[in-house]
Amino acid sequence: GDSVTQTEGQVTVSESKSLIINCTYSATSIGYPNLFWYVRYPGEGLQLLLKVITAGQKGSSRGFEATYNKEATSFHLQKASVQESDSAVYYCALSDAGSWQLIFGSGTQLTVMP
Amino acid sequence: ETAVFQTPNYHVTQVGNEVSFNCKQTLGHDTMYWYKQDSKKLLKIMFSYNNKQLIVNETVPRRFSPQSSDKAHLNLRIKSVEPEDSAVYLCASSHRGLNTGQLYFGEGSKLTVL
C-alpha cells in the first residue's frame, strides 16, 4: 500500500538557521499522488501548510517550500531562516487521486532555539 | 480559527466502559473523518463519512462505530474500551472528498484507558 516516510522524529535548529525536513513516499496508483505538508502548532489543531498536486511543481507557504520530485519520490520541506514561532510538529502526507484516504508520515517535531 | 469542534478534549476511563466523542463542523463540508493518533504520533484513518456513505478502514476493531445525524456531525462511539485505545482521536472535514487534500482538523480528544 501507499506510505510516507519521515526519517527525523525530532529536529532542533537555532533561530535564523536553515531547515530541511525529509519526506519520501511510495504510491501504488498508476498516476502521481497529491502531496501535502500539515503542521500542528502547540495548542492548535492540525492544519494544511502547503500542497502540490503536479509532479515537478513547488509549493510554498509562510516561508516554507517543498518541491514534488517524482524521480526521487521525495517532498522535502525547506525554510531558509526559521523562527521560534515555527516550532511545531510537521507531517508529510499523500493522497492518491480519487482516494478517500490521506496517508500521513510519522511526523517531525521541530524545535527552534532562540 | 477553529471550525471543527470536538468534545470532550480529555477523557479518562476504565477498561470495558463505553466512550463517545462528539464532532461538529461549521464549514458546510460534505465529508467528515476520524483519525487516531497513537503514542508515537502516528496518524491513521479510521472512518470517512460522505453523503451517508460510510467507508471503514478494515483495521479498525468492531467496538468502534461512527454515528452521524447530519453532514455537520460525526460522533465516535467505543463500545468497550481496551488499553490500546488510549490515543488522541482527531476529527476532520473536507469538501467533495480528498481530491484537494484540504482537511480541517479539530483539536483532538485525548482518551486514557486505565
Side-chain angles (χ1 to χ4, degrees):
Chain A
D2 296 347
S3 66
V4 177
T5 301
Q6 293 178 244
T7 53
E8 306 106 341
Q10 294 193 20
V11 172
T12 302
V13 181
S14 297
E15 200 166 25
S16 80
K17 298 297 184 183
S18 63
L19 168 74
I20 295 180
I21 297 178
N22 294 312
C23 172
T24 56
Y25 67 88
S26 173
T28 56
S29 65
I30 296 175
Y32 296 110
N34 301 330
L35 299 177
F36 313 89
W37 278 100
Y38 278 80
V39 59
R40 183 164 189 164
Y41 297 104
E44 297 184 21
L46 192 62
Q47 57 188 279
L48 181 68
L49 178 62
L50 58 86
K51 67 179 180 185
V52 180
I53 62 174
T54 303
Q57 298 294 310
K58 179 193 294 185
S60 61
S61 174
R62 305 180 203 178
F64 288 90
E65 294 182 339
T67 300
Y68 190 153
N69 186 328
K70 61 180 173 62
E71 290 82 15
T73 62
S74 68
F75 192 55
H76 306 320
L77 184 68
Q78 303 184 62
K79 190 171 186 181
S81 176
V82 296
Q83 302 171 337
E84 208 173 337
S85 58
D86 294 326
S87 295
V89 182
Y90 293 81
Y91 290 91
C92 185
L94 72 79
S95 72
D96 277 329
S99 170
W100 67 285
Q101 287 198 45
L102 193 62
I103 309 295
F104 285 91
S106 54
T108 299
Q109 170 72 60
L110 171 65
T111 302
V112 179
M113 306 295 289
Chain B
E1 184 177 350
T2 303
V4 179
F5 304 94
Q6 293 184 232
T7 57
N9 292 124
Y10 301 92
H11 189 75
V12 180
T13 191
Q14 294 185 328
V15 171
N17 286 347
E18 180 175 313
V19 172
S20 287
F21 294 115
N22 302 313
C23 181
K24 171 186 173 181
Q25 55 96 1
T26 60
L27 296 164
H29 288 163
D30 58 9
T31 305
M32 296 184 72
Y33 313 83
W34 277 102
Y35 278 79
K36 178 181 179 180
Q37 183 176 43
D38 62 21
S39 58
K40 297 180 181 179
K41 307 290 187 187
L42 293 172
L43 278 162
K44 300 288 186 184
I45 183 74
M46 299 180 72
F47 305 100
S48 167
Y49 201 81
N50 173 273
N51 290 329
K52 300 186 180 180
Q53 180 189 14
L54 174 65
I55 302 177
V56 182
N57 185 327
E58 60 190 17
T59 66
V60 174
R62 285 176 164 249
R63 60 182 178 276
F64 290 84
S65 60
Q67 298 171 324
S68 178
S69 56
D70 54 57
K71 68 177 186 178
H73 297 83
L74 184 65
N75 301 331
L76 179 66
R77 175 178 168 234
I78 313 173
K79 201 171 181 180
S80 176
V81 296
E82 300 284 340
E84 61 264 31
D85 299 337
S86 293
V88 177
Y89 293 88
L90 296 175
C91 178
S93 71
S94 72
H95 187 56
R96 287 195 293 272
L98 269 178
N99 284 341
T100 64
Q102 181 84 46
L103 263 62
Y104 293 79
F105 285 85
E107 293 186 12
S109 298
K110 184 174 181 178
L111 173 65
T112 302
V113 181
L114 302 176

